Amino acid sequence: MKILPLLLAVALLLGLGYVAAGPYLTVAQIRTGLVERDPVMLEQHVDFPRLRAGLKDQLNVRLLEEAQDDGETSNPLALALVGLATQLIDKVVDTFVTPAGLARIMAGETPEPGVGLPATPAGEADAPDDDGGGERRPFADARYVYDDLDTFSVWVPTEDGRELRCVLERDGLRWRLVNIVLPRD
C-alpha cells in the first residue's frame, strides 16, 4: 500500500519534468529540423502561418510609424506608396519565412533570398555553434526564458549586437514557435 503513493509521486515528478523541459526539447527539435533541412519536422514545431502573420504585422506597423514620423500620412501619393510597400512586405515575408530563411534568422544572421542552409556533413550535427568560418548554427548563444506557464522566449543575439525574440507557446503538452519579435531599432 505504501508503494502506490510513491509511484504516483514519481509519475507526477516525471510529468512535471517533461512539461518543464518541453520548450527546450522543442527548440532542439527545431534546430535539428533546420540543420537537417527537414520541413516535416519544422511543420510539427513551427506554426508558419502565425509566424508569417506576426512578422507582417510588425513590419507594417513600423512602416506606418515611419510614414507618420515623416509627416507623409496627409499626402495621398505617400499613402498609396505605403499601400504598395505593405504588399511588398507581405511577399518578402512569405519568401523569407521558409526553413532556410528561418535557420538564418535564428542564427542571428540576415536571411538572403535564394540562399539555403549551409551543408552539414554527416556526424557534425553536434558541432559547436560557430564553426570558425563565420557560419553560426540556429539558436547560437541564445538565452532561454519562461515568460509564463504558456509562453517561452528564446533571445538570439544578432550580427549587430541586438537580440531578436523567438516566442514559443504551449498547446497542451506541445510547444510551437509562433512569433519572432524583431529588434525595435
Side-chain angles (χ1 to χ4, degrees):
M1 284 299 183
K2 292 183 181 181
I3 256 183
L4 184 61
L6 180 63
L7 288 176
L8 288 175
V10 168
L12 181 64
L13 285 175
L14 288 175
L16 288 174
Y18 177 76
V19 170
Y24 297 98
L25 296 172
T26 299
V27 169
Q29 292 295 316
I30 292 171
R31 179 185 294 138
T32 301
L34 292 169
V35 170
E36 293 178 359
R37 302 178 195 195
D38 185 350
V40 174
M41 183 181 290
L42 288 173
E43 284 292 330
Q44 293 173 356
H45 300 290
V46 178
D47 188 344
F48 279 104
R50 280 184 67 188
L51 184 60
R52 286 184 186 110
L55 287 170
K56 288 176 186 179
D57 289 345
Q58 287 178 66
L59 294 173
N60 286 326
V61 164
R62 289 183 189 178
L63 177 68
L64 290 174
E65 286 174 353
E66 283 192 28
Q68 286 177 342
D69 290 346
D70 294 341
E72 302 287 333
T73 55
S74 60
N75 183 347
L77 181 59
L79 287 176
L81 290 175
V82 167
L84 287 173
T86 299
Q87 292 176 356
L88 179 64
I89 286 172
D90 290 351
K91 290 184 189 312
V92 168
V93 168
D94 289 339
T95 301
F96 283 123
V97 182
T98 62
L102 198 57
R104 296 221 179 263
I105 291 169
M106 290 179 180
E109 299 173 5
T110 304
E112 299 173 26
V115 177
L117 289 168
T120 303
E124 289 190 22
D126 295 324
D129 287 339
D130 190 347
D131 65 5
E135 207 56 61
R136 290 175 37 179
R137 290 190 53 206
F139 301 108
D141 303 320
R143 292 185 300 120
Y144 302 90
V145 177
Y146 265 101
D147 298 323
D148 57 46
L149 291 176
D150 296 327
T151 311
F152 186 82
S153 295
V154 181
W155 294 88
V156 181
T158 62
E159 294 171 328
D160 59 2
R162 297 177 294 163
E163 288 183 314
L164 63 86
R165 177 181 170 218
C166 300
V167 180
L168 285 84
E169 285 186 0
R170 185 175 60 82
D171 181 25
L173 294 178
R174 180 177 164 185
W175 290 83
R176 294 188 81 189
L177 177 67
V178 297
N179 198 6
I180 295 176
V181 181
L182 302 171
R184 191 68 185 143
D185 301 342

